Amino acid sequence: MDRQTLAARIATRLIAALIIGATLTAPAGAGDLSLLLNGKAIHIDPAPGTNYNEKNWGVGLQYDFKPTEGAWIPFVTAAEFRDSNRNISYYAGGGFSKRYDFFGGAMHVDAGGVAFLMVRKDFRDGDPFPGVLPVVSVGAGRYAINMTYIPRVDPKMVPIVYLQLKITLGEL
């Protein structure tokens, strides 16, 4: 088995373990499960002639636990998507975000951070690697746009603003 296949299997099992762990350890009605639709990467100032994939299609799940006192929301997340080089990438992780409600709760902004493990074919020989990124989510009702900023991490990369649609499926 090659390293990429092994890394993909490890990432898939990690994603499954996080999702199963989140759903089995949370009390009934404790939080919300959401479908993530990955879709857009905006590459900032790419070199002339580069052709990065900005349609980062993929799917994932996010489980938001019940907000703590002070409106902090712990969450776990896992997904797969087609990366900037058109390869399938996987990540799984968790974090915290602070909720700010507007218009009597009709809209919200969540701001925080996420720590994760990711597997990418053309990065670190396909081995899982850790990361920490800021996250912002702007939403109304069951729908939100999750956003993160990925700084330049390798001389071959450019900074990226990454977007995904979050659709809350309901309480677990």
Side-chain angles (χ1 to χ4, degrees):
M1 176 181 327
D2 68 11
R3 291 179 76 161
Q4 178 65 24
T5 302
L6 179 61
R9 285 186 180 176
I10 291 169
T12 302
R13 289 182 180 138
L14 181 60
I15 290 167
L18 279 170
I19 293 167
I20 291 167
T23 56
L24 293 178
T25 60
D32 292 319
L33 181 66
S34 296
L35 175 68
L36 300 176
L37 300 176
N38 298 307
K40 184 69 174 166
I42 302 166
H43 295 81
I44 301 169
D45 294 326
T50 57
N51 186 18
Y52 290 121
N53 175 37
E54 292 201 335
K55 295 177 183 175
N56 296 142
W57 305 123
V59 298
L61 294 172
Q62 180 170 320
Y63 184 81
D64 294 333
F65 293 90
K66 182 178 179 181
T68 65
E69 193 169 318
W72 283 95
I73 303 169
F75 65 89
V76 292
T77 182
E80 61 84 27
F81 63 98
R82 193 159 296 276
D83 68 20
S84 298
N85 296 317
R86 295 170 181 79
N87 297 311
I88 299 297
S89 293
Y90 306 90
Y91 73 84
F96 288 89
S97 61
K98 173 114 172 147
R99 165 94 18 120
Y100 300 93
D101 286 318
F102 298 95
F103 308 112
M107 289 189 64
H108 68 270
V109 174
D110 298 340
V114 61
F116 58 89
L117 283 177
M118 178 175 267
V119 174
R120 293 190 61 179
K121 179 180 179 184
D122 294 332
F123 191 74
R124 298 197 178 175
D125 297 321
D127 292 335
F129 63 92
V132 177
L133 293 171
V135 291
V136 173
S137 184
V138 178
R142 296 180 41 224
Y143 301 96
I145 300 293
N146 290 347
M147 299 169 271
T148 192
Y149 172 76
I150 304 166
R152 181 180 170 141
V153 293
D154 183 279
K156 294 186 244 176
M157 300 291 288
V158 298
I160 299 168
V161 174
Y162 187 74
L163 306 169
Q164 48 182 203
L165 176 63
K166 178 181 172 186
I167 304 169
T168 300
L169 303 174
E171 285 188 347
L172 279 183

